[in-house]
């Protein structure tokens, strides 16, 4: 049996009674529950014209909410380097501190979302639509992004950002490109500039081999034709690599994706993410930050992602905040923010949200209105 009390989902079937950090907000009234969320990222607080009711929601639910930015909207906490470009637009729900889950422990999240409105298809404008932050994080250690209208998921390491899933159909090529970037020396300014030029398509085909040879380590393997395409793909390894890198032109801050090492990305059958443009998508995340096991040994982080019930990717390794040196020290908490955080752009853009839940285990999630979850 389950009860919904002030937005907190409490399960009677669990040993030890209530779990205060289980949370469910179905947004059925067309508003967000004040006890479950912090509203500091909305200009003017809450209630806000940036949070609008929707009736009905995803999967036949009674209601949902729409988080909206328009031309006139600004945002709190915009980075100083973005001010010359007009600042940012920011409208995000953040899980209340009282409901934040412990960092390094198993954490599960589920929600439905879709995106409506205007988004630039070129220009690589940063558009974050969901982010998880741990202790001391500046950038989110897990993020949902929508740069140039392409839905993708990233993780953050001490050395670089890793692209781990995308709604583009060429998932194998995207991950090959990410592997090439991981091999580059991110500390070398020349390498960074040349890599970004390749990704942006600023290097002509005749010079691609020369430039790649100059930035890739001598022992870096060039990508071979994908399985099943050996006969039709007659490109040189250098030109194939350049084409793969240009496939990442949508990424904002592409220089951040160099040096993504010590992370294992395991896509499931190279499945793309479903596109959320004008269509509801059910997301389930299993996140466990780096931590110490019972013997005191440090253990790397873990991310598993499902979309519309299908498993998309498993990511493991050295991303996010590393655990404290002292295994007995408090690792702190993690929290999620959902909504819009982007470089200022013209037009109206909405992220619609429904059926949010979080829990320390899968059984605690509220999945009644979502696609059945595929388990390995």
């Amino acid at each position: 049996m389950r009860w919904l009390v002030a937005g907190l989902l409490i399960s009677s079937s669990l040993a030890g009674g209530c779990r205060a950090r289980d949370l469910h907000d179905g947004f059925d009234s067309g508003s967000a529950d004040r006890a479950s969320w912090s509203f500091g990222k909305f200009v003017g607080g809450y209630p806000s014209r940036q949070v609008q009711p929707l009736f009905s929601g995803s999967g036949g639910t009674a209601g949902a909410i729409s988080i909206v930015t328009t031309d006139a909207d600004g945002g709190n906490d915009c980075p100083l380097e973005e001010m010359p470009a007009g600042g940012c637009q920011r409208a995000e729900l953040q899980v209340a501190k009282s409901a934040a889950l412990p960092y390094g422990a198993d954490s599960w999240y589920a929600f439905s979302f879709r995106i409506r409105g205007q988004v630039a298809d070129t220009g690589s404008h940063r558009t974050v639509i969901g982010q998880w932050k741990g202790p001391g994080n500046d950038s989110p250690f897990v993020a949902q992004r929508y740069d140039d209208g392409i839905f993708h998921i990233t993780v953050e390491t001490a050395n670089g950002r890793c692209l781990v899933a995308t709604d583009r159909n060429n998932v194998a090529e995207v991950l090959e490109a990410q592997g090439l970037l991981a091999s580059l020396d991110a500390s070398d300014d020349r390498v960074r500039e040349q890599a970004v030029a390749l990704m942006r398509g600023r290097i002509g085909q005749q010079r691609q081999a020369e430039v790649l040879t100059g930035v890739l380590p001598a022992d870096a393997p060039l990508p071979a034709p994908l399985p099943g395409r050996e006969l039709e793909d007659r490109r040189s390894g250098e030109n194939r690599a350049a084409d793969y890198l240009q496939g990442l032109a949508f990424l904002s801050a592409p220089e951040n994706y160099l040096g993504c090492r010590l992370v294992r990305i395991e896509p499931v059958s190279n499945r793309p993410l479903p596109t959320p443009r004008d269509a509801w998508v059910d997301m389930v995340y299993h996140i466990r930050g780096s931590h110490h096991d019972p013997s005191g040994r440090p253990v790397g982080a873990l991310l598993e992602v499902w979309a519309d019930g299908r498993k998309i990717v498993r990511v493991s390794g050295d991303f996010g905040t590393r655990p404290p040196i002292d295994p007995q020290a408090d690792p702190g908490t993690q929290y999620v923010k959902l909504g819009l955080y982007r470089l200022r752009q013209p037009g109206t853009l909405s992220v619609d949200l429904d059926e949010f839940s979080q829990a320390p285990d899968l059984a605690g999630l509220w999945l009644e209105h979502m696609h059945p979850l595929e388990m390995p």
Side-chain angles (χ1 to χ4, degrees), residues 252-263:
S252 64
E255 65 277 3
N256 290 345
Y257 291 81
L258 277 65
C260 167
R261 301 184 181 92
L262 304 179
V263 172

Side-chain angles (χ1 to χ4, degrees), residues 15-355:
C18 301
R19 302 190 310 188
R21 287 177 175 169
D22 284 12
L23 186 153
H24 170 245
D25 192 349
F27 309 115
D28 285 344
S29 66
S31 62
D33 176 58
R34 291 175 178 268
S36 303
W37 302 97
S38 168
F39 303 95
K41 300 303 181 184
F42 292 97
V43 177
Y46 188 76
S48 170
R49 63 178 175 78
Q50 292 182 300
V51 182
Q52 300 176 4
L54 288 175
F55 305 105
S56 59
S58 67
T61 63
I65 62 171
S66 184
I67 297 176
V68 184
T69 60
T70 65
D71 286 345
D73 293 331
N76 296 332
D77 298 330
C78 295
L80 290 176
E81 63 269 19
E82 294 182 351
M83 300 312 291
C88 72
Q89 294 167 311
R90 194 160 201 172
E92 296 173 294
L93 285 176
Q94 178 176 320
V95 166
K97 288 183 179 180
S98 60
L101 294 171
Y103 186 82
D106 287 297
S107 304
W108 289 78
Y109 301 85
F111 54 90
S112 299
F113 86 107
R114 71 180 173 188
I115 295 180
R116 296 177 297 140
Q118 299 161 282
V119 62
D121 291 330
T122 59
S124 305
H125 298 91
R126 175 180 54 76
T127 304
V128 180
I129 54 176
Q131 52 179 316
W132 285 259
K133 287 195 171 184
N137 286 161
D138 183 18
S139 296
F141 74 100
V142 176
Q144 289 194 158
R145 301 175 185 269
Y146 199 60
D147 304 346
D148 285 4
I150 295 172
F151 177 33
H152 55 291
I153 297 171
T154 63
V155 300
E156 202 82 13
T157 77
N159 300 312
R161 183 174 298 160
C162 312
L163 174 64
V164 301
T166 174
D167 68 2
R168 308 193 81 170
N169 289 323
N170 59 338
V171 173
E173 294 182 9
V174 166
L175 295 181
E176 283 273 9
Q178 175 64 85
L180 286 168
L181 294 177
S183 71
L184 303 183
D185 182 1
S187 66
D188 187 320
D189 290 341
R190 184 190 62 83
V191 169
R192 292 164 67 91
E193 291 172 4
Q194 296 282 54
V196 170
L198 283 164
M199 294 166 72
R200 295 285 191 246
R202 298 172 187 156
I203 306 294
Q205 190 173 33
Q206 292 182 340
R207 292 193 59 233
Q208 287 174 355
E210 172 193 347
V211 172
L212 277 167
T213 302
V215 300
L216 286 172
D219 58 349
L222 292 170
L226 296 175
R229 296 178 57 186
E230 293 88 351
L231 295 179
E232 62 188 80
D233 187 351
R234 297 295 187 179
R235 292 170 294 180
S236 68
E238 290 83 2
N239 286 341
R240 187 179 301 111
D243 288 346
Y244 288 178
L245 289 173
Q246 289 175 30
L248 303 183
F250 65 92
L251 295 175
S252 64
E255 65 277 3
N256 290 345
Y257 291 81
L258 277 65
C260 167
R261 301 184 181 92
L262 304 179
V263 172
R264 184 176 184 184
I265 304 170
E266 301 174 86
V268 178
S269 302
N270 286 325
R271 292 173 177 171
L273 291 162
T275 178
R277 190 185 292 239
D278 298 321
W280 287 101
V281 175
D282 297 335
M283 299 299 300
V284 174
Y285 285 83
H286 175 208
I287 299 174
R288 188 185 64 223
S290 300
H291 61 287
H292 291 98
D293 68 14
S295 69
R297 181 177 63 89
V299 179
L302 172 69
L303 168 68
E304 295 179 291
V305 180
W306 290 258
D308 284 346
R310 305 175 75 209
K311 191 167 186 181
I312 301 297
V313 69
R314 184 184 192 275
V315 185
S316 57
D318 186 16
F319 63 91
T321 303
R322 290 172 176 167
I325 295 175
D326 180 1
Q328 303 304 315
D330 180 2
T333 59
Q334 68 186 38
Y335 59 88
V336 61
K337 293 189 285 188
L338 298 171
L340 279 165
Y341 175 33
R342 65 175 185 164
L343 192 68
R344 180 181 287 279
Q345 297 177 46
T348 297
L349 186 64
S350 302
V351 173
D352 301 336
L353 292 175
D354 201 6
E355 291 300 299

